[in-house]
């Protein structure tokens, strides 16, 4: 339960963090809220030799109105996202999903950027990014680039963020009148989802993001296509597990997860249909 | 009913403030100069021969004071009753997590680094992981030398992995089957679960200048620890002193000898105090969880629901060592016959060695497993016969004058009354809510019965010169609120306000043997001893008043700070009288009755659930727990016991499983091992039905273990009521319910 020895650097701002990353290279890990990284280090599943603490960079914590999209600083705590009026009115799906992350203590420490950069298929927020077709601003030595949600999650706990880059901002397209639903299936309250589902229905377009249905956060493309071609919720949801490859573990078998994906997607589509303006 | 002054008043805990402010001193907080920290290297294999251990690099690490292996502690065996545990593995390891070598170093990190430097070469052996496999002819015998261990419950003709076969019998079950209209048989399984106390096992051992072994330990049975250590170490018991500390939860997991022998040998080697604190990954992988079990229930019944015979066969997976099993076997399987009037009954319980983490017990040794089986089974009987499950229980439950299925006779039986009260309070007979989309609703009832265990304890009540009082007890309160009730008891007898009474705990050399917290015995033992000691102290005080004031001894009353002569109304300040005393004004008493009480207590619980037929998810909506309580000493403490116990029963029923794959615990943290959070606990009613038929001067009944066991079967019964499927395996996960629904409606 004691992490391996590591050096600690505190970054004063994003440029400083990037220069520390350049200096330490692959040996370094960025520390934001610490709610994903520290447990891995305690079990020695992650053994970085340097931790670069970006948790005190104040100017990466914000929610701004960017016109068509909300611009959310990578170090904005879950609690600040969950309670932000702009998020609640323009992206209620994000507010709702964020309110189900961990418990209040976790939400006061954990950050939106840290959660997405961890790339965990069992996390709730990637499914929102996929369903709302958001993007991630990644900053490196040669400047910033914008990655669409579909490009961002590349593998098990892997993202398209390079070793010399960091996530600096999340962009969520506004969807004020859209129908939405967040479904989370737990073994107990306040826990990781066994399976989860984020749905956004905006006119003819529909986004469906799944939690814990593959080695990386995935979109239920077949469901989206079925909805676009006019299928009702029940028949569209039939294809929710299509192409998925969920794990079998202590909480659920893969087969049961696929069943849950279909049930939760159906419920999410129905609920989103009702809330659609 | 009898009227008491302080007994029965809601009383906040005497130790509440110090616990919530962090002032309470637990074992890990005890600091002695020069203390070393110890860590152990644990086996990575379920069953293996140790070929070689290389400790050279660990010994060379700066800050390391000692490294011990099995060779340094050869021949030392310990255990609660049956002594088969070694301090460090001897030639073989028998489970993943077994301690193979240990380091004492200047701090925990250095000790851990040194542990990481120890190299062990193993020859892996084929492991036996389940009890039925362990009983096969060709299975390796894990303890071939078992007949030489002290405390084996009964010697065996030849060594067997089934080290204990307990049979309890009344009449002849075959006679009963011949008379039955119907034979109903079911097999149930229950998962291994951890007690989940907040404070992990910890101990500090120091051999002082007088060669006394000073022990601080997270242990609720200090006198058993003292005696067990003395026997294991071959030293006189009076050389061991177990010092009082605050204990951070127990639930049955903190009554065994733990790392104290290992710390003793490290202290002996280094000449320093040695402290060892498990981390929670160690707790979940290598402490003493509740036994997983498989229990088969076969009953013969009449068409009207009368149970005429009951045959129980249970297999309890003890794991690699039985040192943590209370009597060398679990006493609880006998509860599998239920609190029913059954003419012929038999219980056969097998405790079996396997290459898994050694099991102990949790809040009712063997009872939750037994009661889940029988109380689920009773509902199957009722549904098979088309009868109401509550009616079948009312038909069979023992009433005043009835012996139970095993011939035990208890008094003050309120079983039927408790069932009726629970049905009423829970709205059991009201129609369940109408189906809501895929959701169906149902209710289930289950009952349990338990009498407090016996034991030995000591108490003294002493007036201080300032008129305040100190009660000395030999009980170490493990968190159940005993100190608070002791204070109430003394206040009640003396006629003083509880605020003027302090409770102090004797360390082990100051008193004779105390049985320790457990078996729901604390209130029984304490109420007898404290009541008698307080009466004796009051007698001594009145004798003093008679002598100094010239009052007749039978005309005196104590009214908090004042003594009053009842016939004249004359008054004297307690403190000024005590200031003139030439000898301590005190009284003491011992309680010594090791037999089980002959007064038992019923628990009836009703669960109301919502089952999602599409996912199998079970939501517990309401939970009602009704207790035949005798007189409640402290309603706040009583309700706390009920709510906490029910919550543990709910966790056992719905989510907890200390899972093992290939011998390795796969739930080594509370992220993986699911204990219910407050958000999982439904609207809960805790109801006490009081009577004056309880035990001792305050008419008590036990409550410590009682609220745990019926919860899981009540939930299983409610699920069948809602959706018509019977879940026989714990925990009742959503996937299990979903699969059962699919099997029923393909």
């Amino acid at each position: 339960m004691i992490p391996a020895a590591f050096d600690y650097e505190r970054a004063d701002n994003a440029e400083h963090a990037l220069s520390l990353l350049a200096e330490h290279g692959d040996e370094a890990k960025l520390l934001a809220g610490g709610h994903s990284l520290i447990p891995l280090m305690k079990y020695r599943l992650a053994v970085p030799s340097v931790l670069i603490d970006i948790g005190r960079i104040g100017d990466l914590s914000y929610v701004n109105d960017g016109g068509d999209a909300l611009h959310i600083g990578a170090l904005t705590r879950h609690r600040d996202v969950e309670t932000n009026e702009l998020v609640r009115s323009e992206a209620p799906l994000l507010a709702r999903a964020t309110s189900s992350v961990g418990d209040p203590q976790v939400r006061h420490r954990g950050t939106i950027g840290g959660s997405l950069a961890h790339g965990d298929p069992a996390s709730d927020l990637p499914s929102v990014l996929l369903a709302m077709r958001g993007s991630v601003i990644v900053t490196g030595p040669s400047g910033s680039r914008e990655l669409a949600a579909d490009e961002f999650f590349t593998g098990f706990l892997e993202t398209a963020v390079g070793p010399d880059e960091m996530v600096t901002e999340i962009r969520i397209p506004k969807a004020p009148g859209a129908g939405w639903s967040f479904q989370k299936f737990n073994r107990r309250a306040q826990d990781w989802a066994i399976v989860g589902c984020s749905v956004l229905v905006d006119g003819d377009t529909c986004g469906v993001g799944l939690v814990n249905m593959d080695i990386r956060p995935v979109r239920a493309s077949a469901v989206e296509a079925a909805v676009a071609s006019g299928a009702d919720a029940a028949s569209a949801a039939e294809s929710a597990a299509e192409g998925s490859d969920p794990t079998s573990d202590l909480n659920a078998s893969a087969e049961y997860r696929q069943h849950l994906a279909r049930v939760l997607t159906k419920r999410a589509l129905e609920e989103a249909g009702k809330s659609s303006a | 009913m009898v009227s008491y002054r302080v007994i029965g008043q809601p009383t906040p805990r005497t130790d509440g403030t110090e616990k919530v402010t962090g002032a309470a001193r637990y074992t890990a907080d005890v600091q002695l100069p020069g203390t070393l920290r110890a860590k152990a290297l644990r086996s990575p294999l379920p069953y293996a021969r140790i070929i070689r251990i290389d400790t050279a690099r660990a010994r060379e690490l700066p800050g390391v004071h000692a490294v011990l292996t099995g060779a340094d502690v050869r021949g030392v065996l310990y255990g609660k009753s049956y002594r088969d545990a070694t301090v460090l593995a001897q030639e073989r390891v028998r489970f993943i997590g077994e301690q193979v070598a240990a380091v004492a170093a200047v701090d925990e990190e250095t000790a851990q680094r040194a542990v990481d430097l120890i190299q062990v070469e193993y020859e892996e052996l084929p492991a036996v992981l389940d009890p039925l496999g362990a009983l096969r002819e060709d299975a390796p015998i894990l303890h071939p030398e078992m007949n030489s261990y002290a405390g084996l419950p009964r010697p065996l003709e030849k060594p067997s992995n089934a080290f204990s076969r307990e049979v309890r019998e009344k009449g002849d079950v075959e006679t009963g089957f011949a008379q039955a209209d119907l034979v109903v048989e079911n097999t149930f399984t229950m998962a291994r679960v951890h007690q989940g106390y907040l404070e992990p096992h910890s101990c500090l051992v120091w051999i002082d200048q007088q060669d006394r072994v000073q022990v601080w330990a997270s242990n609720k049975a200090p006198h058993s620890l003292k005696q067990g250590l003395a026997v294991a170490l071959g030293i006189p018991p009076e050389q061991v002193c177990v010092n009082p500390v605050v204990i951070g939860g127990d639930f049955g997991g903190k009554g065994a000898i733990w790392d104290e022998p290992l710390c003793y040998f490290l202290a002996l080697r280094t000449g320093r105090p040695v402290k060892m604190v498990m981390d929670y990954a160690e707790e979940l992988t290598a402490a003493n969880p509740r036994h997983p079990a498989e229990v088969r229930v076969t009953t013969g019944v009449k068409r009207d629901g009368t149970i005429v015979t009951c045959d129980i066969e249970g297999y309890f997976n003890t794991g690699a060592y039985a040192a943590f099993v209370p009597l060398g076997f679990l006493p609880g399987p006998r509860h599998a016959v239920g609190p029913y009037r059954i003419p012929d009954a038999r219980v056969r319980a097998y405790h079996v060695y396997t290459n898994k983490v050694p099991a102990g017990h949790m809040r009712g040794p063997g009872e939750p497993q037994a009661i889940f089986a029988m109380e689920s089974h009773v509902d199957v009987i009722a549904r098979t016969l088309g009868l109401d499950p509550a009616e079948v229980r009312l038909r069979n439950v023992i009433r005043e004058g009835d012996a139970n299925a095993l011939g035990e006779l208890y008094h003050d039986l309120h079983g039927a009354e408790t069932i009726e009260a629970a049905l009423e309070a829970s709205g059991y007979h009201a129609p369940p809510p109408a189906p809501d989309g895929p959701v169906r609703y149902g209710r289930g009832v289950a009952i349990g019965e338990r009498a407090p265990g016996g034991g030995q304890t000591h108490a003294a009540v002493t007036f201080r010169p300032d008129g305040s009082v100190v009660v000395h007890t030999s009980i170490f309160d493990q968190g159940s609120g005993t100190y608070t009730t002791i204070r109430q008891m003394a206040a009640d007898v003396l006629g003083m306000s509880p605020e003027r009474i302090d409770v102090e705990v004797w360390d082990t050399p100051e008193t004779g043997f105390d049985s320790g917290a457990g078996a729901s015995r604390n209130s029984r033992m304490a109420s007898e001893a404290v009541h008698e000691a307080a009466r004796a102290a009051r007698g001594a005080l009145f004798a003093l008043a008679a002598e100094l004031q010239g009052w007749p001894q039978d005309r005196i009353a104590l009214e908090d700070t004042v003594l009053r002569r009842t016939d004249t109304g004359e008054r004297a300040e307690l403190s000024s009288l005590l200031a003139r005393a030439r000898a301590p004004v005190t009284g003491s008493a011992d309680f010594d009755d090791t037999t089980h009480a002959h007064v038992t207590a019923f628990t009836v619980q009703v669960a109301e659930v919502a089952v999602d037929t599409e996912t199998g998810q079970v939501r517990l909506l309401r939970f009602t727990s009704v207790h035949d309580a005798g007189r409640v000493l402290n309603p706040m403490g009583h309700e706390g016991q009920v709510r906490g116990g029910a919550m543990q029963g709910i966790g056992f029923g719905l989510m907890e499983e200390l899972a093992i794959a290939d011998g390795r615990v796969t739930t080594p943290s509370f992220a993986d091992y699911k204990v219910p959070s407050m958000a999982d606990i439904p609207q809960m009613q805790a109801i006490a039905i009081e009577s004056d038929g309880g035990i001792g001067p305050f008419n008590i009944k036990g409550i410590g273990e009682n609220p745990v066991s019926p919860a899981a079967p009540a939930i299983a019964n409610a699920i069948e009521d809602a959706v018509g499927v019977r879940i026989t395996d714990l925990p009742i996960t959503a996937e299990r319910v979903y699969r059962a629904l699919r099997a029923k409606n393909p």
Side-chain angles (χ1 to χ4, degrees):
Chain A
M1 299 301 282
I2 299 173
F6 57 86
D7 288 329
Y8 173 88
E9 301 269 14
R10 183 187 298 165
D12 302 323
N13 50 50
E15 294 71 39
H16 186 204
L18 290 172
S19 76
L20 288 167
L21 269 180
E23 185 185 329
H24 296 290
D26 278 354
E27 302 299 302
K29 283 290 279 181
L30 294 176
L31 174 72
H35 276 71
S36 302
L37 180 59
I38 299 292
L40 290 181
M41 290 173 63
K42 282 188 167 182
Y43 284 102
R44 303 203 178 185
L45 298 171
V47 195
S49 53
V50 183
L51 277 191
I52 300 169
D53 185 355
I54 57 172
R56 302 183 197 216
I57 303 178
D59 58 7
L60 284 181
S61 174
Y62 55 83
V63 178
N64 291 335
D65 189 340
D68 292 341
L70 298 181
H71 295 183
I72 304 173
L75 290 173
T76 312
R77 311 270 176 198
H78 298 312
R79 176 69 185 162
D80 295 328
V81 173
E82 172 191 349
T83 55
N84 184 279
E85 280 309 320
L86 210 49
V87 175
R88 292 167 84 113
S89 61
E90 304 294 336
L93 170 58
L94 176 63
R96 169 71 187 84
T98 304
S99 75
S100 83
V101 173
D103 55 31
Q105 285 161 299
V106 170
R107 294 199 292 279
H108 276 275
R109 290 290 304 168
T111 65
I112 185 170
S115 173
L116 293 172
H118 191 51
D120 189 340
S123 290
D124 300 321
L125 300 185
S127 72
V128 178
L129 193 74
L130 288 161
M132 297 194 74
R133 295 196 156 76
S135 60
V136 180
I137 306 295
V138 171
T139 306
S142 50
S144 294
R145 57 196 182 113
E146 182 170 356
L147 292 167
D150 290 292
E151 306 167 278
F152 187 74
F153 304 107
T154 54
F156 181 64
L157 304 185
E158 281 179 9
T159 66
V161 182
D164 55 354
E165 293 180 311
M166 64 185 281
V167 174
T168 46
E169 189 174 279
I170 319 302
R171 293 191 176 171
I172 304 287
K174 289 183 184 174
W180 60 276
S181 175
F182 179 71
Q183 302 283 329
K184 183 170 180 174
F185 191 87
N186 280 340
R187 182 145 160 195
R188 71 172 161 190
Q190 298 179 338
D191 207 340
W192 298 94
I194 291 176
V195 173
C197 179
S198 288
V199 161
L200 189 84
V201 177
D202 198 358
D204 298 337
T205 65
C206 153
V208 182
L210 297 175
V211 181
N212 232 351
M213 286 302 291
D214 213 318
I215 59 162
R216 63 191 176 93
V218 288
R219 171 189 301 288
S221 311
V223 178
E224 294 174 352
V227 172
S229 65
D232 64 12
S235 51
E238 283 299 308
S239 51
E242 210 169 89
S244 69
D245 185 17
T247 179
S248 279
D249 60 23
L250 289 168
N251 295 313
S253 67
E255 183 203 355
Y256 181 58
R257 280 201 163 89
Q258 293 186 322
H259 169 74
L260 288 176
R262 288 187 286 267
V263 174
L264 298 185
T265 301
K266 181 190 71 175
R267 291 178 182 180
L269 288 171
E270 284 169 354
E271 189 179 71
K274 282 181 204 149
S275 66
S276 181
Chain B
M1 290 204 293
V2 181
S3 143
Y4 300 112
R5 292 178 340 99
V6 183
I7 293 300
Q9 298 303 314
T11 308
R13 312 247 320 210
T14 55
D15 51 353
T17 305
E18 66 176 66
K19 282 183 174 169
V20 296
T21 57
R25 204 173 67 140
Y26 297 85
T27 298
D29 300 320
V30 178
Q31 301 292 348
L32 297 178
T35 298
L36 300 174
R37 290 296 294 260
K39 276 299 208 191
L41 176 70
R42 295 176 180 275
S43 168
L45 297 171
Y47 194 34
R49 204 164 63 81
I50 300 171
I51 294 174
R52 201 172 54 84
I53 305 179
D54 182 353
T55 60
R57 290 176 62 208
R59 287 174 202 280
E60 285 160 13
L61 189 73
V64 170
H65 283 245
V67 182
L68 299 185
T69 68
D72 300 300
V73 292
R74 193 151 281 157
V76 181
L77 289 169
Y78 67 92
K80 253 181 154 173
S81 174
Y82 172 36
R83 304 210 308 269
D84 64 351
T86 54
V87 179
L88 293 167
Q90 303 291 315
E91 284 130 36
R92 273 160 205 245
V93 288
R94 294 184 176 87
F95 72 99
I96 293 177
E98 180 165 359
Q99 295 176 333
V100 174
V103 174
V106 288
D107 56 37
E108 191 179 5
E109 287 175 37
T110 306
Q112 184 61 55
R113 274 216 301 282
V115 162
D116 292 344
L117 292 172
I118 299 171
Q119 289 180 322
V120 185
E121 193 183 323
Y122 296 100
E123 177 197 346
E124 189 161 7
L125 302 168
V128 284
L129 297 173
D130 70 279
L132 296 180
L135 294 179
R136 292 201 338 220
E137 280 293 315
D138 58 348
I141 302 300
L142 299 186
H143 290 270
E145 57 287 85
M146 59 194 295
N147 272 322
S148 71
Y149 298 158
L152 180 65
R154 301 170 212 294
L156 299 172
E157 267 179 43
K158 61 172 188 160
S160 161
N161 289 325
F163 62 89
S164 167
R165 303 159 193 243
E166 283 299 309
V167 181
R168 301 282 304 271
E169 204 163 5
K170 185 189 75 174
D172 175 14
V173 288
E174 296 307 330
T175 313
F177 285 123
Q179 293 164 357
D181 294 333
L182 186 72
V183 173
V184 182
E185 181 185 317
N186 287 289
T187 299
F188 302 90
T189 68
M190 307 88 196
R192 173 186 297 96
V193 298
H194 189 274
Q195 295 84 354
Y197 32 69
L198 284 176
E199 181 203 23
H201 276 97
S202 43
C203 67
L204 169 62
V205 176
W206 171 46
I207 301 163
D208 72 13
Q209 291 88 341
Q210 284 82 44
D211 258 0
R212 282 176 308 204
V213 182
Q214 299 284 354
V215 179
W216 292 258
S218 181
N219 187 303
K220 55 134 178 207
H223 290 263
S224 302
L225 174 60
K226 170 183 117 172
Q227 293 202 336
L229 268 179
V231 169
L233 304 175
I235 58 177
E238 51 275 16
Q239 204 176 318
V240 180
C241 173
V242 182
N243 296 275
V245 277
V246 176
I247 298 166
D250 148 46
F251 314 118
K254 300 272 187 68
I257 302 169
W258 205 251
D259 286 325
E260 296 83 7
L262 179 54
C263 286
Y264 167 83
F265 285 108
L266 288 167
L268 199 62
R269 177 70 63 92
T270 60
R272 301 263 212 121
V274 177
K275 184 189 284 185
M276 203 157 179
V277 180
M278 286 179 103
D279 65 41
Y280 230 102
E282 291 180 297
E283 267 288 345
L284 288 167
T285 51
N288 56 349
R290 179 186 287 158
H291 282 67
E294 179 176 318
V295 178
R296 191 174 75 222
V297 185
T298 314
T299 50
V301 294
K302 294 286 196 188
R303 289 200 195 289
D304 66 0
T306 305
I307 305 169
V308 294
T309 186
C310 180
D311 193 14
I312 307 287
E313 190 170 47
Y315 292 87
F316 293 79
N317 186 344
T318 296
Y321 298 93
F324 316 111
V325 183
L327 308 169
F329 61 90
L330 298 165
R334 69 188 178 86
H335 285 269
V337 294
Y340 300 122
R341 189 178 49 233
I342 305 173
D344 300 299
R346 177 170 65 176
V347 180
R348 288 173 292 176
Y350 302 89
H351 300 73
V352 186
Y353 282 134
T354 61
N355 292 114
K356 287 186 175 174
V357 55
H361 69 90
M362 172 178 173
R363 228 168 163 175
E367 288 164 41
Q369 301 95 313
I371 291 173
F372 174 69
M374 184 55 162
E375 284 301 293
S376 296
H377 182 85
V378 170
D379 263 47
V380 177
I381 293 173
R383 287 176 195 284
T384 307
L385 296 170
L387 301 171
D388 174 7
E391 285 303 317
V392 172
R393 289 181 172 85
L394 283 167
R395 175 175 293 278
N396 289 287
V397 71
I398 45 173
R399 293 164 195 255
E400 203 65 37
D402 290 335
N404 70 9
L406 293 172
E408 297 155 337
L409 189 63
Y410 292 107
H411 303 296
D412 197 47
L413 296 177
H414 296 279
E417 185 188 337
T418 311
I419 293 172
E420 300 282 9
L423 300 180
E424 174 72 28
S426 64
Y428 177 83
H429 286 301
D436 174 14
V439 178
R440 302 287 179 276
Y441 298 88
R443 298 193 188 98
V445 61
I447 80 179
E449 156 276 314
R450 194 183 208 290
Q456 292 162 280
T457 196
H458 314 275
V461 173
T462 306
F463 286 94
R464 294 188 181 117
D466 67 357
S468 67
V469 165
V470 58
V471 183
H472 280 94
T473 175
S474 52
I475 296 172
F476 285 25
D477 184 341
Q478 86 284 38
S480 59
T482 300
Y483 299 152
T484 310
T485 52
I486 284 176
R487 190 189 208 190
Q488 289 178 276
M489 294 167 190
D492 208 282
V493 175
L494 294 175
M496 295 178 71
S497 64
E499 293 70 34
R500 302 180 57 74
I501 298 173
D502 294 321
V503 177
E504 288 181 9
V505 187
W506 279 311
D507 55 28
T508 54
E510 291 177 290
T511 70
F513 185 79
D514 179 291
S515 305
S520 305
R521 68 162 77 86
N522 266 5
S523 292
R524 176 186 177 199
M525 298 196 310
S527 65
E528 301 265 15
V530 172
H531 182 266
E532 198 183 321
R535 283 174 60 93
R538 191 181 59 181
L541 178 72
F542 291 175
L544 180 70
E547 179 197 334
L548 297 179
Q549 302 285 123
W551 296 354
Q553 204 169 322
D554 57 351
R555 295 282 185 278
I556 306 173
L558 175 58
E559 291 168 357
D560 205 20
T561 59
V562 174
L563 281 162
R564 187 168 60 85
R565 181 168 169 177
T566 54
D567 53 350
T568 65
E570 271 180 274
R571 297 159 76 86
E573 282 293 324
L574 178 60
S575 54
S576 55
L577 187 79
L578 287 165
R580 292 151 63 201
R582 285 179 303 273
V585 180
T586 185
S588 65
D590 305 314
F591 174 78
D592 185 357
D593 180 355
T594 53
T595 61
H596 241 64
H598 292 289
V599 172
T600 195
F602 281 85
T603 298
V604 181
Q605 296 178 327
V606 178
E608 182 173 318
V609 300
V611 182
D612 183 331
T613 53
E614 287 182 339
T615 63
Q617 191 158 51
V618 176
R619 215 150 43 88
L620 190 54
L621 300 176
R622 284 175 71 199
F623 193 84
T624 306
S625 193
V626 181
H627 297 269
D628 145 33
R631 292 299 292 276
V632 172
L633 298 172
N634 177 5
M636 284 172 81
H638 195 269
E639 187 172 341
Q641 288 291 308
V642 172
R643 287 176 177 273
M647 197 160 160
Q648 289 183 321
I650 290 165
F652 182 54
L654 286 175
M655 60 183 81
E656 294 185 40
E657 178 170 15
L658 195 66
I660 294 185
D662 302 326
R664 181 179 305 277
V665 170
T666 53
T667 52
S669 82
F670 279 122
D672 303 307
Y673 182 73
K674 312 286 187 191
V675 176
S677 70
M678 285 313 289
D680 292 292
I681 300 306
Q683 188 186 333
M684 198 186 282
Q685 291 187 85
I687 297 169
I689 301 175
E690 296 193 84
S691 77
D692 280 336
I695 302 158
F698 302 117
N699 288 299
I700 72 96
K701 294 194 175 186
I703 193 62
E705 288 149 310
N706 306 53
V708 179
S709 298
I715 292 167
N717 295 343
I719 292 167
E720 183 165 18
D721 186 47
V723 294
V725 298
R726 169 56 49 185
I727 308 297
T728 55
D729 305 303
L730 296 183
I732 304 173
T733 59
E735 185 166 358
R736 279 195 166 133
V737 176
Y738 165 72
R739 289 187 184 283
L741 286 164
R742 278 274 294 270
K744 184 173 168 249
N745 311 306

